[in-house]
Each structure stands twice: as C-alpha cells, then as structure tokens.
C-alpha cells in the first residue's frame, strides 16, 4: 500500500501527517519524502502524525529511528503522534516508547517546540 503525506509548515516545526502502512514495501517512499523535508529545513523539527497509519512493521520502526537520528543531526527532533492501541503496544513491546517523545495530539506535540 502506498503512503500519502500531508506536510504543514507551522511556526518552528513541520507537521507531517502520514496515511497508509509503514512496512517493507513503503519505507523507501517514507525515507525519500522525509529526506526532502529535512533537507529544506535549517533545524529539522518534525511532528509525525501517525493517527492514519494502520500498520508498522520492524522495517518501519527502523526507518523511524533513522529519521529521528537525521533530525538530531540537523539540530532538530522527531516527535510522534498517535492514539492507536495497536501501535502503542508495538512501541511498548519494543521499548521504543523510551526512545521517542510520543503524544496523543498534534497540539500537545507542538507545545514541545514552543
């Protein structure tokens, strides 16, 4: 399944809403899109809204870690937004809830950058 993206530039960050499934077949598309977004920013502060993502596999988790690292290299940060119990369980089981800042709403995440 292809991913779709909706980028919204806010005051000092970008909200990147993703729709689809983040898996072996779509990670290249995600990586390319986010790379373009990061390259356009002096400081890569990204709020990734995953509320319309139905599935993430281990390849997708790996890409999210890589994106977080790239943001940090550009004096920025990647924070995640989702309410899905399935995705939340995945982050808890893998321990990634300790690696990422995770919020339930975009507004809560945006407050981090104020």
């Amino acid at each position: 399944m292809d991913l779709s993206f909706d980028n919204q530039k806010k005051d000092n960050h970008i909200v990147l809403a993703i729709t689809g499934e983040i898996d072996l077949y779509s990670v290249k598309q995600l990586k390319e899109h986010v790379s373009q977004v990061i390259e356009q920013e002096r400081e890569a502060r990204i709020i990734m809204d995953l509320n319309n993502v139905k599935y993430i596999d281990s390849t997708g988790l790996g890409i999210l870690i890589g994106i977080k690292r790239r943001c940090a290299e550009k004096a920025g940060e990647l924070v995640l937004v989702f309410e899905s119990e399935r995705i939340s369980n995945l982050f808890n089981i893998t321990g990634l809830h300790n690696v990422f800042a995770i919020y339930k709403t975009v507004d809560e995440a945006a407050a981090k950058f104020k």
Side-chain angles (χ1 to χ4, degrees):
M1 176 180 206
D2 282 342
L3 293 176
S4 63
F5 307 98
D6 179 26
N7 300 353
Q8 293 183 8
K9 178 80 170 156
K10 301 290 183 175
D11 298 327
N12 62 352
H13 62 275
I14 294 172
V15 177
L16 174 59
I18 300 173
T19 301
E21 297 179 355
I22 302 175
D23 58 18
L24 177 64
Y25 304 102
S26 65
V27 291
K28 182 178 179 192
Q29 184 183 4
L30 175 62
K31 184 177 179 181
E32 288 173 356
H33 183 83
V34 174
S35 290
Q36 290 174 1
V37 170
I38 290 172
E39 290 307 313
Q40 294 173 3
E41 298 301 312
R42 190 172 55 84
E43 296 177 345
R45 294 184 179 126
I46 299 175
I47 296 172
M48 190 175 288
D49 183 350
L50 302 177
N51 278 314
N52 291 316
V53 170
K54 303 299 180 212
Y55 176 79
I56 301 176
D57 70 5
S58 60
T59 310
L61 293 176
I63 289 296
L64 292 177
I65 293 167
I67 292 169
K68 179 177 175 51
R69 190 174 303 121
R70 293 227 21 235
C71 287
E73 289 170 357
K74 287 208 59 174
E77 186 174 358
L78 171 68
V79 299
L80 305 178
V81 173
F82 57 82
E83 291 189 67
S84 165
E85 188 174 327
R86 174 183 284 160
I87 293 176
S88 183
N89 287 339
L90 178 63
F91 276 77
N92 289 335
I93 289 168
T94 59
L96 290 176
H97 67 287
N98 294 317
V99 174
F100 289 95
I102 300 171
Y103 298 90
K104 291 191 182 289
T105 68
V106 170
D107 288 340
E108 288 176 12
K112 178 175 181 58
F113 295 127
K114 291 191 177 185

